[in-house]
Amino acid sequence: MTDRREITLKINGTEYTINVEARRTLVDAIREECGQTGTHIGCEHGVCGACTVLVNGNPVRSCLMFAVQAEGQSIRTVEGLQQGEQLHPLQESFMKHHALQCGFCTPGFLMLAVGVLEKNPDLTDEELSDLLSSNLCRCTGYENIMKAVRAGADGMK
Ligand code: FES
Ligand code: FES
């Protein structure tokens, strides 16, 4: 018998009451049950970072977390970055510095960077490089992502 639970996920301030199997990953629940498809799925085993969201302000690979574990916690996804018509400084910066090509990895990079920079906007280049190397991009070569995050960090201060 399948173990299902009714849980409430709070994503970008909106509550979604959903019924999921206990083994349902957070990223699947965010995309399928809650309809927030901005968070992408790549490797599904914690390597690529495409599925990165913030849980209580901390970057989390949502393919490695069960949806039931996220109940009652504050989840932020890429859909929550833009405020009205106003893009987040990092989104503006990614556009300005051509930090995306196909864009598949971009939501993960944005959420990773937002989560870290909100706590420490003054990362050194070495720390920034170390941070960004944790997510995979097959298109850009990383240089423009580095530039965009550096410039976006200044915009967030
Ligand atoms: S899909 Fe989660 S880390 Fe790749
Ligand atoms: S922009 Fe295509 S994978 Fe990063």
Side-chain angles (χ1 to χ4, degrees):
M1 195 174 112
T2 309
D3 182 15
R4 297 189 73 90
R5 314 264 175 91
E6 184 170 288
I7 59 171
T8 299
L9 294 182
K10 190 172 178 189
I11 305 173
N12 303 319
T14 299
E15 292 192 343
Y16 299 83
T17 299
I18 60 177
N19 190 289
V20 290
E21 289 184 38
R23 64 180 179 173
R24 188 74 159 158
T25 62
L26 178 58
V27 70
D28 282 338
I30 288 172
R31 288 176 54 87
E32 304 294 330
E33 275 76 28
C34 304
Q36 304 300 299
T37 54
T39 302
H40 291 165
I41 305 175
C43 65
E44 291 189 86
H45 55 268
V47 174
C48 72
C51 64
T52 304
V53 300
L54 301 185
V55 177
N56 295 334
N58 299 309
V60 165
R61 297 188 175 208
S62 57
C63 69
L64 294 184
M65 187 169 187
F66 293 119
V68 294
Q69 293 175 296
E71 183 166 32
Q73 307 196 50
S74 169
I75 301 163
R76 287 165 66 198
T77 67
V78 70
E79 287 93 342
L81 292 183
Q82 183 173 342
Q83 299 297 313
E85 295 296 304
Q86 185 63 50
L87 290 177
H88 187 280
L90 270 177
Q91 291 175 307
E92 293 277 7
S93 191
F94 266 61
M95 284 200 319
K96 184 171 170 201
H97 294 278
H98 308 289
L100 62 145
Q101 289 179 29
C102 78
F104 189 85
C105 65
T106 310
F109 273 105
L110 286 170
M111 298 318 290
L112 173 70
V114 167
V116 171
L117 293 173
E118 281 182 350
K119 293 193 171 77
N120 179 12
D122 295 313
L123 293 185
T124 64
D125 282 346
E126 194 180 349
E127 288 168 331
L128 203 52
S129 167
D130 198 40
L131 173 74
L132 298 176
S133 70
S134 72
N135 280 30
L136 299 182
C137 173
R138 297 180 66 173
C139 303
T140 66
Y142 290 82
E143 276 193 31
N144 286 355
I145 295 176
M146 276 283 289
K147 277 187 212 157
V149 174
R150 170 59 68 215
D154 293 338
M156 286 171 66
K157 287 180 191 171

